Amino acid sequence: MTNKSLSVHRAALVAGAALLLGTLTACGSGGDSGASSAQTLSGTAAPATGGATTGSAIASVTASASAPGTTAGKTTLTVGEPSSAASKSRCHTSELRASVGRNDPGAGQENFPIVLTNTSSRTCTVHGYPGVAFLDASGKQLGPDPVRGWGTPKTVTLAPGRSAWAGMTFSNPGVSGAHAATPATLLVTPPDERDPLKVTWTGGPVPVSGNASTVRLMVFAPGTGS
């Protein structure tokens, strides 16, 4: 049942990416505001967790222990600085391992899950978007900073050894005609953190300039995305 749910989730990502690309081509960067609006996201600085909300927004969902996967409790939203409890529960870079899962291509799109795994001995949380940057062999960034795609950030609780994933999608440069380069490394910055994690990139060429060169990121969800 879990594998079926993840397959549906990734299929929705592929379909949604194609739809979003068409919408942005028509509306440009000044389209509708809201959680689905694309926003510039630094590859090395900590990404804000509140989507389109100004400032740092922490949303915590208390779910019923007797009904895993449901939202049976209350949802609270704090705008401004993260609370002390949220800060203490957040997963720090030193407690995580980053990896890139299997590509799930479709409709001219390349779709990779960016996975963060809790390697510490405590339970911690991630909330929002990762920071991402492609680097060449000399450490120079390739292409512009990715932008945020659609999705409503939710707090994902990670017990030791558990993972969360965020989708990363871009047009295949061989199809779109964008100028491409093959990165050596992918930098991944966990939400609200400043220190990135380095992952060897084996996913082939990525678009770095020209038509359809935008890389988009999705919010974190439980699991590995595969």
Side-chain angles (χ1 to χ4, degrees), residues 121-215:
S121 59
R122 75 180 183 104
T123 296
C124 60
T125 62
V126 294
H127 178 97
Y129 299 79
V132 169
F134 292 109
L135 305 181
D136 64 15
S138 66
K140 180 181 178 181
Q141 182 171 333
L142 296 171
D145 292 335
V147 299
R148 294 176 176 182
W150 61 95
T152 301
K154 296 181 180 179
T155 298
V156 181
T157 300
L158 300 180
R162 302 306 293 268
S163 301
W165 72 285
M168 177 176 67
T169 182
F170 53 84
S171 294
N172 183 311
V175 175
S176 69
H179 180 66
T182 300
T185 304
L186 181 71
L187 282 188
V188 178
T189 307
D192 289 315
E193 292 292 299
R194 296 288 178 183
D195 298 324
L197 297 162
K198 291 185 177 181
V199 181
T200 299
W201 178 255
T202 60
V206 302
V208 295
S209 65
N211 181 51
S213 60
T214 301
V215 176

Side-chain angles (χ1 to χ4, degrees), residues 10 22 38-39 45 57 63 70 79 83-84 116 123 158 201 203 211-213 217:
R10 297 196 70 185
Q39 298 180 5
T70 65
V79 179
S83 68
S84 176
L116 292 180
T123 296
L158 300 180
W201 178 255
N211 181 51
S213 60
L217 300 171

